[in-house]
Amino acid sequence: MMKITRKSPFTGKVRTKELPITKFEYELWQKGGLLIQHAFPNLSADDREFILTGISSSEWNETFNPSD
């Protein structure tokens, strides 16, 4: 397990998530060795988005699927 901290560009909120990845996997991905979906195939698309951008699934849904 590894804690990942990101700041959302939508809200500016800083969040930390503990994800089932290793430091080795994370470093390999950061160095450009793998696409994120190949580096972390066990993570959900929402968790991979969080690693990439810091955007939570609720922020994504509120931004792109606003309720009328």
Side-chain angles (χ1 to χ4, degrees), residues 1-5 16-19:
M1 296 292 273
M2 184 174 175
K3 289 184 180 180
I4 304 292
T5 301
T16 300
K17 289 182 88 169
E18 191 166 12
L19 299 170

Side-chain angles (χ1 to χ4, degrees), residues 36-62:
I36 195 163
Q37 62 269 30
H38 296 146
F40 312 115
N42 58 318
L43 294 182
S44 68
D46 289 342
D47 285 340
R48 291 192 301 262
E49 185 66 35
F50 177 79
I51 291 173
L52 286 169
T53 65
I55 300 169
S56 69
S57 58
S58 60
E59 288 176 330
W60 188 268
N61 291 332
E62 289 170 12

